[in-house]
Amino acid sequence: MAGLVRKSLDTPDEVRPFEEGKGKLELVSLAGGPVGRATFEPGWKWSEHIKPLAGTESCMAAHTGYFVSGRMKIVMDDGESMEFGPGDFLTVAPGHDAWVLGDEPCVVIDWQGYGDYAKP
């Protein structure tokens, strides 16, 4: 393994578009696993735009991430909910829905849950 590795989300190894043009996931592959930058457009909702790809009733990925811009609401299957925005860090367990709040795209960097996320 090399002593230094440089990757950029501006030139990702892979790009996965979301349903109906509601955003995209840009991924870089690192030795420790993939890191992704997701851009969720206004009107995006997991249960509408990712569920058809995932084939599960709710998002079954765990996430560890950082909100760069925009706002998002996440609701766990048990009803617990929280809103996130710029500067917030997130850890969320499997079993949730999420959607963009407002009219600004929501950009999230995630280093845990995007490896299989939105995979066709």
Side-chain angles (χ1 to χ4, degrees), residues 54-101:
T56 57
E57 284 304 307
S58 59
C59 181
M60 297 312 293
H63 300 283
T64 301
Y66 175 77
F67 284 76
V68 177
S69 62
R71 297 199 61 77
M72 181 178 284
K73 182 166 187 172
I74 300 175
V75 178
M76 302 301 296
D77 289 349
D78 68 4
E80 179 184 10
S81 68
M82 194 172 289
E83 292 184 15
F84 296 88
D88 290 341
F89 283 89
L90 153 87
T91 59
V92 62
H96 57 272
D97 195 1
W99 55 89
V100 172
L101 298 170

Side-chain angles (χ1 to χ4, degrees), residues 32-36 61-65 90-94 109-116:
V35 175
H63 300 283
T64 301
L90 153 87
T91 59
V92 62
I109 307 292
D110 187 315
W111 49 90
Q112 179 181 4
Y114 283 167
D116 291 325

Side-chain angles (χ1 to χ4, degrees), residues 8 12 19 29 33 38 41 43 45-46 56 61 67-68 92 103 109 113 119:
S8 173
E19 295 282 316
S29 298
E41 296 295 334
K45 187 172 185 177
W46 186 91
T56 57
F67 284 76
V68 177
V92 62
D103 58 3
I109 307 292
K119 222 177 198 178

